[in-house]
Amino acid sequence: RTLLEQTRRAFIKVGFGSELVGLVGGSSALQLERPVQVAMIQSLHGRTLEQHARWLRRFSLAVVDEAHAAFAHTYASLLRRLGESCRVLGVTATPFRSSPEERLEQVFTGAAFGPSISTLIDRRLLVRPTVYGGPPPRAGGTAAPFEAEVDAIIAKYRARARGVRAVAFCARVADSKLLAARMAQAGIAAAHLDGDTSAAERESLFDRMRE
């Protein structure tokens, strides 16, 4: 739902009226009369593909994000049901497949490559990253348990980014909850969210980040 809303807001920001953009996914009510539809592939395939096959055929352009996944059954089923005159644009940062038998040219007839990351940084569209190394592995090459690293993570945040908005990606939900709790104990405003976080709470957290 969050990704759908972000995309909808991006359309509105570049000039599309809010009444022109519909959402397919989450708890959103279908607004099939709107000319622009932003959809999650799972939702579109699950509840719309069979019921609204004729509706799918009226579009003149389909933009497929993460287009390297276009070989998946869900994508292939959708693409087959689009009208013959519909143009399909695939966008991806990883234009390759792990299997040599699966080539994107089997789905898309041409390729155009965008600017490199370094070019986007030079144009001030991306921020040049600053990378700090983590703690060295313990004897035997094994990583320390996450709980043992929390204090070091908080110390690094204070040393490198005190007071700055930050996002921490953790390998496990339990690790994220632990880090948020320990940061709060240290007097740093922090919150945890995962795939089970409600849409309302998720949006509230993002709004607080933007403030």
Side-chain angles (χ1 to χ4, degrees), residues 85-123:
S85 61
C86 181
R87 295 187 176 186
V88 179
L89 171 65
V91 292
T92 177
T94 52
F96 48 83
R97 298 285 292 177
S98 57
S99 171
E101 288 77 28
E102 296 180 349
R103 301 187 303 275
L104 289 181
E105 65 183 11
Q106 297 171 265
V107 181
F108 302 100
T109 58
F113 296 92
S116 65
I117 291 177
S118 59
T119 298
L120 293 174
I121 291 173
D122 291 341
R123 293 179 183 176

Side-chain angles (χ1 to χ4, degrees), residues 16-157:
F16 286 78
S18 59
E19 74 282 359
L20 300 178
V21 185
L23 303 180
V24 181
S27 59
S28 303
L30 292 177
Q31 297 165 315
L32 302 184
E33 75 285 356
R34 299 190 175 189
V36 178
Q37 297 289 329
V38 182
M40 299 295 289
I41 184 65
Q42 296 85 353
S43 298
L44 185 60
H45 186 270
R47 73 177 181 179
T48 307
L49 200 56
E50 297 298 335
Q51 298 175 10
H52 304 289
R54 184 176 297 179
W55 170 75
L56 287 169
R57 294 182 64 81
R58 74 181 177 89
F59 291 101
S60 58
L61 173 66
V63 180
V64 181
D65 192 18
E66 304 292 352
H68 54 273
F71 283 92
H73 171 70
T74 49
Y75 284 84
S77 296
L78 172 63
L79 295 177
R80 284 196 300 267
R81 292 169 190 265
L82 296 171
E84 293 182 2
S85 61
C86 181
R87 295 187 176 186
V88 179
L89 171 65
V91 292
T92 177
T94 52
F96 48 83
R97 298 285 292 177
S98 57
S99 171
E101 288 77 28
E102 296 180 349
R103 301 187 303 275
L104 289 181
E105 65 183 11
Q106 297 171 265
V107 181
F108 302 100
T109 58
F113 296 92
S116 65
I117 291 177
S118 59
T119 298
L120 293 174
I121 291 173
D122 291 341
R123 293 179 183 176
R124 297 176 180 261
L125 297 172
L126 291 179
V127 176
R128 187 177 301 279
T130 301
V131 181
Y132 302 101
R138 297 183 300 174
T142 59
F146 182 80
E147 185 172 1
E149 303 298 334
V150 171
D151 289 340
I153 293 171
I154 294 175
K156 280 184 176 288
Y157 169 78

Side-chain angles (χ1 to χ4, degrees), residues 1 7 26 28 53 102 130 158 164 191 197:
R1 173 73 185 191
T7 306
S28 303
E102 296 180 349
T130 301
R158 282 177 163 157
V164 174
T197 304

